[in-house]
Amino acid sequence: MPAKPTGNEVQEGPSVETVIESMSGADGQILSLARDLGLALPDAAERTVYDGFCREWTPAYYLGKRQIFHVHAMKSGMRGSMFVGVRALEHLIMASPEVPDHIKEIVDKTKGGSGTKMLKIPLDTPEDVAGFGKLVKVKWEFELDRLT
């Protein structure tokens, strides 16, 4: 895969397919399911972004310029990540009957600096991806409303 960008250099990363193919076993399956989830969103854009903290290229899904979610392969397993505005989006997540309680618990316990939380949702099983998908749907609908 391409090396990390340096300084202000902009570099195109590997394709999402390349990232998925580089993973073996259950992690590759989970990443494929997360990809299916992202691409099922109307008008979704898929790309890889370089995460300087994790030092990896990671698949990310966007609506226009707004990132909906991205996925990491951590040493502890796959993880879905999402930025959530505390004042604008968090209350919609907590009020949604669709979002599983264990994800709401993660939302509640995640600290938010500067009014934004970065949710880190474990994706160990296909069922975890399905539950994460309910969270993704809430954010997707919120971002669609912002565009109209």
Side-chain angles (χ1 to χ4, degrees):
M1 281 192 257
K4 80 171 194 134
T6 58
N8 293 331
E9 170 186 331
V10 175
Q11 178 181 350
E12 188 172 321
S15 68
V16 172
E17 293 88 4
T18 301
V19 173
I20 292 172
E21 288 170 3
S22 72
M23 303 204 173
S24 60
D27 285 351
Q29 177 192 18
I30 294 295
L31 190 52
S32 291
L33 291 171
R35 180 178 194 228
D36 293 345
L37 173 73
L39 293 178
L41 300 169
D43 301 319
E46 171 185 69
R47 65 186 93 144
T48 54
V49 294
Y50 186 77
D51 186 304
F53 180 76
C54 295
R55 298 182 181 172
E56 69 177 1
W57 289 97
T58 182
Y61 299 86
Y62 288 80
L63 175 62
K65 293 182 179 181
R66 306 289 297 188
Q67 187 183 99
I68 304 301
F69 73 96
H70 61 280
V71 183
H72 287 285
M74 307 298 289
K75 288 180 184 177
S76 60
M78 298 301 291
R79 182 177 79 197
S81 298
M82 177 186 290
F83 295 101
V84 171
V86 173
R87 289 179 294 280
L89 182 56
E90 182 175 8
H91 73 279
L92 295 174
I93 293 168
M94 298 306 278
S96 172
E98 300 297 317
V99 176
D101 289 340
H102 73 280
I103 291 179
K104 289 181 181 180
E105 188 175 321
I106 292 169
V107 173
D108 186 52
K109 290 183 178 181
T110 300
K111 295 190 187 317
S114 304
T116 302
K117 293 182 174 187
M118 181 174 173
L119 304 181
K120 302 169 184 176
I121 311 297
L123 302 177
D124 297 322
T125 66
E127 292 78 22
D128 291 339
V129 177
F132 181 63
K134 309 237 177 183
L135 173 66
V136 167
K137 183 179 178 204
V138 171
K139 183 167 183 182
W140 185 259
E141 290 172 353
F142 172 78
E143 294 297 348
L144 279 174
D145 285 345
R146 288 174 59 154
L147 290 174
T148 57

